[in-house]
Amino acid sequence: MNGSPSKDAVDTILAQWGRERPDLDLAPMGVIGRLKRCSALMQRELDTAFSAFDMSRWEFDVLATLRRAGAPYCLSPTALFASLMITSGTMTHRLQGLEARGWIARLPDPKDARSKLVELTPDGLALIDRAVEAHLENERRILAPLDAESLDALDAQLARLLAVLEPSTD
């Protein structure tokens, strides 16, 4: 990127606060505001790509979580909802929808007769493999205006911030 960035919506908000409360240091508001705005705008772009596969973001997330687990692409509902950070009730409803679409199957757990496992079906596996390729291409498109050095620096800084905000998984 060359030159200084043009003014954005966050600059407008900062200018208004600066006018109304010149006594405040608004630096954190600028960073957080831009992170939130980028997140919302990127999510809109990502959702558009998911819709090309007739799926929502949460459907992509569930199928991708199963796919990342490796063959046989099967997890317990507890492992799924812990990974996706949603409640068990929400997960049950979502699994019913994915099962109705033929993308997952719920199978008896051979280790615990009281519970079920969630497994990608062949249709679900084929779908998520196509969708993740398109998703990565879409992410590349979104980030294309940034050069490799800027992306590396941004990634490193966001990882540092995430390490502060997110509980340790060690």
Side-chain angles (χ1 to χ4, degrees), residues 82-105:
S83 173
L84 297 167
M85 295 180 288
I86 58 175
T87 66
S88 61
T90 299
M91 178 56 68
T92 299
H93 177 70
R94 289 180 176 182
L95 293 178
Q96 289 169 346
L98 292 169
E99 190 171 34
R101 295 185 83 172
W103 295 342
I104 63 145

Side-chain angles (χ1 to χ4, degrees), residues 90-154:
T90 299
M91 178 56 68
T92 299
H93 177 70
R94 289 180 176 182
L95 293 178
Q96 289 169 346
L98 292 169
E99 190 171 34
R101 295 185 83 172
W103 295 342
I104 63 145
R106 291 190 280 182
L107 312 168
D109 184 342
K111 297 177 186 169
D112 183 355
R114 298 168 297 160
S115 62
K116 301 245 183 206
L117 296 174
V118 180
E119 182 177 61
L120 279 177
T121 63
D123 285 349
L125 178 60
L127 175 66
I128 194 59
D129 278 347
R130 288 190 322 272
V132 78
E133 289 171 11
H135 174 61
L136 280 167
E137 192 55 41
N138 191 35
E139 288 180 325
R140 280 187 195 88
R141 181 190 59 77
I142 292 167
L143 297 173
L146 301 176
D147 61 52
E149 186 178 328
S150 296
L151 283 173
D152 288 345
L154 178 60

Side-chain angles (χ1 to χ4, degrees), residues 32-69:
I32 300 293
R34 284 188 177 87
L35 283 170
K36 288 173 57 178
R37 183 93 174 118
C38 283
S39 176
L41 293 171
M42 283 188 288
Q43 207 53 68
R44 186 173 65 198
E45 294 292 319
L46 296 175
D47 288 345
T48 299
F50 299 145
S51 70
F53 293 90
D54 194 29
M55 71 169 57
S56 66
R57 179 184 336 153
W58 70 261
E59 288 170 320
F60 176 88
D61 288 344
V62 172
L63 298 178
T65 300
L66 288 166
R67 179 65 174 95
R68 288 192 320 266

